[in-house]
Amino acid sequence: MKKILGVDIGGTDIKLGIVTQEGELVEKGTIPTMAEEGARQAAVRVAAWLEENRAGHQVKSSGIDCAGLIDGTKGYLYYSPNLPGWKDTDLRAMFAGELGLPVTVDNDVNCAAWGEFVLGAGRGTRNFVCLTLGTGIGGGVIADGRLYRGWQGMAGEVGHQVIDSSGPQCVCGTRGCLEAMANASSIVSRARAAIAAGTGSLLEDGDGLTAKDIATAAADGDKVALDALAGAGQALGTGLANIVHLFNPEVIAVGGGVAGAGELILGPARESMRGQLMDDILASVKVVQAELGNTASLVGASMLALDTTD
């Protein structure tokens, strides 16, 4: 049975897995990224891990993902916020040389979208969009059964659509991006503002307050928490309406840590989206939670490698 090495490169750790054609993780592990040592040394450590764990597995190719601006057709990393010093790096050539395998490289959310399309919330569709909500907001687009990368491989940056030009500044430098309006930090900011205004809450303002804390309080009926999630959900709904108008998907799956709030954020998002669609026919799109959890990118990178190098 053909197997694939999945490599999910984060700023701190690299998640690794040997994945079957059916998407089953049969071996998994984690090694430190040590990004300051450079991409080639990371590739050397990945190759060493594979050598230690490949016994009994016929690994035929590798799928690699990381956050950032990547041309997946070339396997070229232009920039990653998590990997300083890796700018303008031919990751495919570098990892292929160390692993001795055909290698596919793509953006982490593109890979998560492909994983969900093949094995998760997008199964059975032909037109599908996957969003990840967390510290940032990313997206991957499947159009007519194929990953849509765009001209330079950078399509799907849905978090940087401007939905309120007078809104808060985003890390990209623009004001009012969806990411700045609906990410984890925005939820915390909404809750803190309400607490500072004197609204009673189960939450305690402070540096340790997280979106997860807010989701927990919202599940207990806390008004500040519920309003913070609803506000982010309404902003998310504007972004979803734009996505529907642009891509007309059958299903939009929402994953990432913030999506763990479930219907507390997705409910307001659907309501907001439906109110902004140009016709009711478009409202038949399903907005659901993603299914693969924190293995989506690694498994998706593996499935993308299987599809690309088969």
Side-chain angles (χ1 to χ4, degrees):
M1 177 189 296
K2 182 183 289 189
K3 294 173 186 172
I4 311 100
L5 171 67
V7 182
D8 179 17
I9 304 174
T12 302
D13 294 316
I14 299 174
K15 297 176 185 175
L16 298 149
I18 296 176
V19 184
T20 69
Q21 294 174 220
E22 290 75 33
E24 179 186 1
L25 270 165
V26 292
E27 300 285 350
K28 59 182 178 179
T30 303
I31 61 174
T33 305
M34 295 189 278
E36 68 281 1
E37 294 188 1
R40 187 170 298 282
Q41 285 305 307
V44 168
R45 289 194 300 278
V46 169
W49 182 90
L50 177 61
E51 191 62 29
E52 292 174 6
N53 292 276
R54 73 186 304 168
H57 302 297
Q58 295 183 359
V59 178
K60 298 296 186 180
S61 60
S62 178
I64 297 171
D65 76 81
C66 66
L69 299 178
I70 295 174
D71 186 338
T73 60
K74 299 177 180 177
Y76 194 88
L77 171 66
Y78 289 96
Y79 163 76
S80 173
N82 302 330
L83 303 168
W86 291 30
K87 184 177 173 65
D88 296 327
T89 300
D90 190 341
L91 285 184
R92 182 166 67 189
M94 197 170 288
F95 274 80
E98 297 298 333
L99 294 171
L101 297 171
V103 168
T104 299
V105 179
D106 217 312
N107 172 274
D108 57 344
V109 186
N110 277 352
C111 290
W114 189 255
E116 291 286 347
F117 173 66
V118 175
L119 299 167
R123 288 188 310 275
T125 68
R126 293 283 295 171
N127 296 278
F128 170 70
V129 176
C130 181
L131 275 67
T132 57
L133 306 184
T135 303
I137 295 180
V141 179
I142 311 299
D144 291 330
R146 299 179 65 85
L147 179 62
Y148 180 69
R149 293 188 173 96
W151 170 42
Q152 296 170 309
M154 300 173 197
E157 290 290 343
V158 297
H160 296 289
Q161 57 177 299
V162 176
I163 61 172
D164 181 356
S165 60
S166 62
Q169 188 163 28
C170 181
V171 292
C172 74
T174 303
R175 287 198 170 274
C177 290
L178 176 60
E179 181 170 304
M181 302 287 289
N183 68 353
S185 295
S186 77
I187 293 169
V188 172
S189 295
R190 292 172 194 274
R192 282 180 171 162
I195 294 168
T199 307
S201 175
L202 299 170
L203 297 166
E204 294 183 7
D205 192 7
D207 292 340
L209 184 62
T210 67
K212 186 175 181 180
D213 296 332
I214 294 168
T216 299
D220 290 334
D222 184 82
K223 184 179 187 307
V224 165
L226 286 167
D227 287 349
L229 288 172
Q234 288 162 10
L236 175 60
T238 298
L240 294 178
N242 292 338
I243 289 168
V244 171
H245 287 139
L246 284 169
F247 299 110
N248 191 207
E250 299 158 69
V251 175
I252 302 173
V254 184
V258 172
E263 289 303 307
L264 296 173
I265 191 167
L266 293 186
R270 285 193 206 94
E271 183 177 357
S272 171
M273 176 194 75
R274 287 168 181 155
Q276 298 177 71
L277 296 176
M278 67 178 182
D279 193 277
D280 287 345
I281 187 65
L282 294 169
S284 58
V285 61
K286 295 179 181 178
V287 178
V288 301
Q289 276 191 273
E291 296 179 5
L292 299 186
N294 60 12
T295 66
S297 292
L298 187 147
V299 172
S302 302
M303 294 296 98
L304 194 59
L306 177 66
D307 182 74
T308 303
T309 61
D310 194 16

